[in-house]
Amino acid sequence: MSIRRLLAFVILSAASPAALALTPALPAPEVAPSEIVAAAPAEAWTTIAADQLLVMDLAPDAAGHARRVVIQLVPAPWSQGWVGNIRKLAQAHWWDATAITRVQDGYVVQWGDPDAENKARAKALPSGLLTTSQGGYVLTGGAAPPLSGPKLADAPYSAKIRYFAGWPIAMEAGHAPATWPVHCYGTVGVGRDMPPDAGTGAELYAVIGQAPRQLDRNIAVVGRVIDGMEWLSSLPRGHGEIGFYQTPAERTPIRSIRLGSEVPDLGTWQYLSTDSPAFARYVAARANRRDAFYVRSAGGVDVCNAPVPIRRALAKR
Amino acid sequence: MSIRRLLAFVILSAASPAALALTPALPAPEVAPSEIVAAAPAEAWTTIAADQLLVMDLAPDAAGHARRVVIQLVPAPWSQGWVGNIRKLAQAHWWDATAITRVQDGYVVQWGDPDAENKARAKALPSGLLTTSQGGYVLTGGAAPPLSGPKLADAPYSAKIRYFAGWPIAMEAGHAPATWPVHCYGTVGVGRDMPPDAGTGAELYAVIGQAPRQLDRNIAVVGRVIDGMEWLSSLPRGHGEIGFYQTPAERTPIRSIRLGSEVPDLGTWQYLSTDSPAFARYVAARANRRDAFYVRSAGGVDVCNAPVPIRRALAKR
């Protein structure tokens, strides 16, 4: 095997005595997280329903390459006021001919109506959108379903991270604790003005840098990018205030955003069930890398460094 | 003031009674971290010496825009075997006509000699490069200078984060603790093969996603991008194994990499001194956002969500 200059994700089928001799003090290398995921049995994978997906088609890039971004919506009971609005906006084809309006390096990509601030030119929203107050950012009083899965390192605020149906959920201490979905790389949330209830869901953002933990509980988490993240993260950065583009020509046009159930031949995605033994092994291996590249295990892992594995299903639905 | 759709970094010069009336249960908004940094006195800023900078000029982009990336090298006594090699490589102009070879979404951008794996075609390295073993990834036995600055949330492994001369440094518990610089968005490290001493510094990477905490103590941290990060983070992603480009045409050419002391008219950068009262206030404000946008403070902050502020000096040197 020709050794490549790997930083990580090394797959080593068998450690040879010669390789071990280079690092005699180390225990034998163990499997990598990617190997645990690859070996997970079929029953450990859960299919994501098509109506839980949002499909954003950007205009093709300069080389003519199609750019499709697939987003999984956050499951009930979190953020459902906004998620309901997003379904209405997608069903109304409201986002067609809108645009990516802001790319702030290390922070977020944002999209919506470029004229939203201009009352004379702003695109009319569909009727029936709900207004949700800041109380909607968290579920309180035991309103959450039971959380489970492996325990991770606590968030920098005093909350535990557990899982629900493939999603990392933060949970405060207490008998009927408040719970909320957390921001990670690729998380999608609802842009808003100063009043905390100002966000309808028409303006959305995706995280393209370090998890902005300070946004948790201050803004609605509504989804996560599960395919095509690179089409957002590699966009040119904006040079206006907080990364807004300064000219219309800089914006990337959005051709359409649809619910997955409206998109023919979309394919199917699955997540590794967060209750499965394979997921527990994966998180443990992410926290304590002992595959061949590593000389020292971290002994812990942040929720955003152990993303829930998601794959395209092998057969189409 | 026309309210923009801001996600953060909101600058509010004075909270009006009307604005406060919208959120009556909240205390009056306080200053944002960005305002604390803007108000820091001149003596809180420390100039970075030109010979501590590495200046990478990429080929211009498709629109003809110059792409310059400025990297600050990690200070002694950490990683100095590799930093010395990097100085030699820059002084030998070794990186001229090399390339960006790998972009893995949410992880790293990597650069160096595209032919490094091909013995017949690999570019010869300058003589006199040092080989540093994995022991060089940390300083042990009290070899570190005193660390100081505000205390942050612990890393997911059991280490404290403190500061030295503008750099976040992790420190194990104990009397003469091991210390090491940590990975964040924009951190630059030394790519290496499987043997932990294989990295010379000729092949470097920069982090473009969530801080890969698992790499700490497993690879040499040698610097951080302080300007032009967007020219790395927005590059097209590679679609080969672990993000390597599959064809030479996909690679971005590197015109040159020089020590800052060799670059005329470079300008000067300064960091907010990590011992200054302004920095302590900045970290406290990042951990407990109470500026106008926020309805709930996090109560803690990860080291990579409180990046040490860096600015261009107002006057050229």
Side-chain angles (χ1 to χ4, degrees):
Chain A
M1 183 177 84
S2 161
I3 293 177
R4 298 282 305 275
R5 276 171 165 68
L6 304 184
L7 285 175
F9 301 119
V10 172
I11 293 176
L12 194 73
S13 54
S16 73
L20 288 177
L22 290 170
T23 54
L26 290 174
E30 297 190 1
V31 291
S34 57
E35 294 176 283
I36 293 168
V37 173
E43 62 266 27
W45 294 92
T46 302
T47 295
I48 303 169
D51 66 0
Q52 285 293 115
L53 299 178
L54 205 59
V55 181
M56 172 162 60
D57 284 323
L58 303 178
D61 69 9
H65 198 296
R67 292 187 282 189
R68 171 166 283 184
V69 179
V70 181
I71 293 164
Q72 181 188 9
L73 296 167
V74 82
W78 291 277
S79 303
Q80 293 301 294
W82 295 280
V83 168
N85 286 356
I86 288 166
R87 291 182 191 284
K88 282 180 190 148
L89 288 156
Q91 285 164 334
H93 298 185
W94 184 84
W95 277 293
D96 296 13
T98 58
I100 309 280
T101 53
R102 172 192 181 198
V103 184
Q104 184 173 355
D105 192 62
Y107 196 40
V108 293
V109 168
Q110 192 170 331
W111 61 92
D113 175 12
D115 294 318
E117 298 295 323
N118 182 329
K119 281 185 184 174
R121 300 178 58 191
K123 193 168 182 172
L125 291 166
S127 62
L129 298 187
L130 297 180
T131 298
T132 310
S133 76
Q134 69 193 64
Y137 299 149
V138 298
L139 289 179
T140 54
L147 306 183
S148 59
K151 185 182 171 305
L152 283 98
D154 294 352
Y157 43 65
S158 60
K160 306 291 177 193
I161 304 288
R162 301 299 292 279
Y163 292 89
F164 177 76
W167 288 76
I169 304 288
M171 176 173 60
E172 276 189 331
H175 176 61
T179 60
W180 58 95
V182 298
H183 283 84
C184 286
Y185 186 86
T187 293
V188 175
V190 174
R192 66 164 169 91
D193 282 346
M194 285 298 197
D197 63 355
T200 60
E203 192 145 6
L204 297 173
Y205 65 89
V207 173
I208 59 166
Q210 181 72 12
R213 193 61 62 237
Q214 71 277 14
L215 293 182
D216 291 354
R217 299 183 288 183
N218 283 287
I219 205 159
V221 167
V222 291
R224 62 183 172 197
V225 176
I226 62 168
D227 201 25
M229 182 64 192
E230 67 181 290
W231 305 123
L232 299 177
S233 57
S234 68
L235 288 170
R237 278 46 183 161
H239 295 121
E241 191 190 6
I242 62 168
F244 277 95
Y245 290 123
Q246 294 175 300
T247 62
E250 294 173 277
R251 298 176 192 141
T252 299
I254 294 173
R255 291 218 166 150
S256 67
I257 299 183
R258 296 281 184 277
L259 285 175
S261 44
E262 274 197 72
V263 180
D265 299 323
L266 177 61
T268 306
W269 281 262
Q270 299 177 318
Y271 65 86
L272 186 61
S273 302
T274 42
D275 280 331
S276 67
F279 184 71
R281 284 198 301 272
Y282 160 81
V283 168
R286 292 287 293 182
N288 288 289
R289 297 295 294 261
R290 283 200 291 267
D291 37 313
F293 180 82
Y294 290 87
V295 297
R296 182 128 188 189
S297 295
V301 67
D302 181 81
V303 55
C304 298
N305 269 137
V308 174
I310 292 178
R311 69 175 187 185
R312 269 183 185 273
L314 301 178
K316 293 218 172 174
R317 65 195 155 88
Chain B
M1 182 177 83
S2 161
I3 293 177
R4 300 282 305 276
R5 277 172 166 68
L6 304 184
L7 284 176
F9 301 118
V10 172
I11 292 176
L12 194 72
S13 54
S16 73
L20 288 176
L22 290 170
T23 53
L26 289 176
E30 297 191 2
V31 290
S34 57
E35 293 176 282
I36 294 169
V37 173
E43 62 267 25
W45 295 92
T46 301
T47 295
I48 302 169
D51 65 0
Q52 285 293 113
L53 300 177
L54 205 60
V55 181
M56 173 161 60
D57 285 323
L58 303 177
D61 69 10
H65 199 296
R67 292 187 282 188
R68 171 167 284 184
V69 179
V70 181
I71 294 163
Q72 181 188 9
L73 295 168
V74 82
W78 291 277
S79 304
Q80 293 300 297
W82 294 280
V83 168
N85 286 357
I86 288 167
R87 290 183 192 286
K88 282 179 190 150
L89 288 156
Q91 285 165 332
H93 298 186
W94 184 84
W95 278 293
D96 296 12
T98 59
I100 309 281
T101 53
R102 172 191 180 197
V103 185
Q104 184 173 355
D105 193 62
Y107 195 40
V108 293
V109 168
Q110 191 169 332
W111 62 92
D113 174 13
D115 293 318
E117 296 295 323
N118 182 329
K119 282 187 184 174
R121 298 179 58 191
K123 194 168 181 171
L125 291 166
S127 62
L129 298 187
L130 295 181
T131 298
T132 310
S133 76
Q134 70 194 62
Y137 298 150
V138 299
L139 289 179
T140 54
L147 306 184
S148 59
K151 187 182 170 306
L152 283 101
D154 295 351
Y157 44 65
S158 59
K160 305 294 177 192
I161 304 287
R162 301 300 291 280
Y163 292 89
F164 176 76
W167 289 76
I169 304 288
M171 176 173 61
E172 277 190 330
H175 176 62
T179 61
W180 59 93
V182 299
H183 283 83
C184 285
Y185 186 85
T187 293
V188 176
V190 174
R192 66 164 169 89
D193 282 346
M194 284 298 195
D197 64 355
T200 60
E203 192 144 6
L204 297 173
Y205 65 88
V207 173
I208 59 167
Q210 180 73 11
R213 193 62 58 238
Q214 72 277 14
L215 293 183
D216 291 355
R217 298 183 288 184
N218 284 285
I219 204 160
V221 168
V222 291
R224 62 182 172 197
V225 176
I226 62 168
D227 201 25
M229 183 63 193
E230 66 181 290
W231 305 124
L232 298 178
S233 57
S234 68
L235 289 170
R237 277 46 183 160
H239 295 119
E241 191 191 4
I242 63 170
F244 277 95
Y245 290 123
Q246 294 175 301
T247 61
E250 293 173 276
R251 298 176 192 142
T252 299
I254 295 173
R255 290 217 168 151
S256 66
I257 298 183
R258 297 281 184 277
L259 285 175
S261 44
E262 273 197 73
V263 180
D265 299 323
L266 177 61
T268 306
W269 280 262
Q270 300 177 317
Y271 64 87
L272 187 60
S273 301
T274 41
D275 280 331
S276 68
F279 184 72
R281 285 197 300 272
Y282 160 83
V283 169
R286 293 285 295 182
N288 288 290
R289 298 294 295 259
R290 283 199 291 267
D291 38 312
F293 180 83
Y294 289 87
V295 297
R296 180 128 189 190
S297 295
V301 67
D302 181 80
V303 55
C304 298
N305 270 137
V308 174
I310 291 177
R311 70 175 187 185
R312 268 183 187 273
L314 302 178
K316 292 216 171 175
R317 65 195 155 89

